[in-house]
Amino acid sequence: MSTLIEQAVQARLVASAPQMESVPATLRYDREDPFAVQMAFPPPATLEGNEVSWAFSRELLAAGLDAPAGVGDVRVRPFGYDRTVVEFRAPEGIAMVHIRTSEVRRFLKRAQGMVPTGSEHVYLDLDHNLAELLRDAC
């Protein structure tokens, strides 16, 4: 069984111009990193022309569907009836995208099916992660 879920979504980039530009994005969930989700943007959708991927808490994404959540580099909040706003903050600036809430809920349901909320610790390989950290430190 695969340990990775990927779901393509259409994100609408919120800009100062009156029209929002649609950009492709991918939501990812890997059972080997059970507390996190990733949102990746392909090279054509970024200013630098390189894929950009943001990792943040699965719990943050779920909480942000119903109420504003997050105080750091990634913030999530509902917007209207069928949209969720994901806001990314970096030293270079702030990027905000709108995603259909139904797509986020479908993604989270699939992740929940792979690793139920509250059982993430069962999927952590602490010995392997510690060995990786110690190897990288040398």
Side-chain angles (χ1 to χ4, degrees):
M1 180 164 103
S2 175
T3 66
L4 181 68
I5 294 171
E6 289 191 335
Q7 180 174 317
V9 295
Q10 272 303 319
R12 296 195 63 140
L13 184 61
V14 179
S16 57
Q19 194 171 17
M20 290 190 286
E21 178 183 342
S22 289
V23 295
T26 303
L27 289 170
R28 293 184 180 126
Y29 181 75
D30 189 340
R31 185 171 55 197
E32 293 180 9
D33 191 4
F35 289 101
V37 295
Q38 292 184 19
M39 187 167 196
F41 299 90
T46 68
L47 295 175
E48 296 83 23
N50 299 318
E51 180 176 285
V52 173
S53 182
W54 287 77
F56 51 98
S57 160
R58 173 172 73 157
E59 181 181 12
L60 171 67
L61 184 60
L65 294 178
D66 299 315
V71 294
D73 294 340
V74 179
R75 300 171 187 198
V76 183
R77 68 179 181 277
F79 184 81
Y81 173 72
D82 66 343
R83 297 280 177 187
T84 298
V85 174
V86 183
E87 182 177 312
F88 303 99
R89 295 172 173 249
E92 299 80 16
I94 299 171
M96 292 189 332
V97 295
H98 288 192
I99 307 168
R100 284 188 187 93
T101 301
S102 60
E103 291 180 338
V104 178
R105 287 191 193 284
R106 185 170 48 251
F107 170 77
L108 288 170
K109 185 176 180 181
R110 292 174 63 206
Q112 175 76 13
M114 183 178 283
V115 177
T117 302
S119 68
E120 294 91 348
H121 65 283
V122 173
Y123 296 89
L124 290 176
D125 187 350
L126 294 179
D127 291 333
H128 173 75
N129 292 344
L130 181 58
E132 288 289 315
L133 284 172
L134 292 174
R135 188 192 81 222
D136 291 344
C138 296

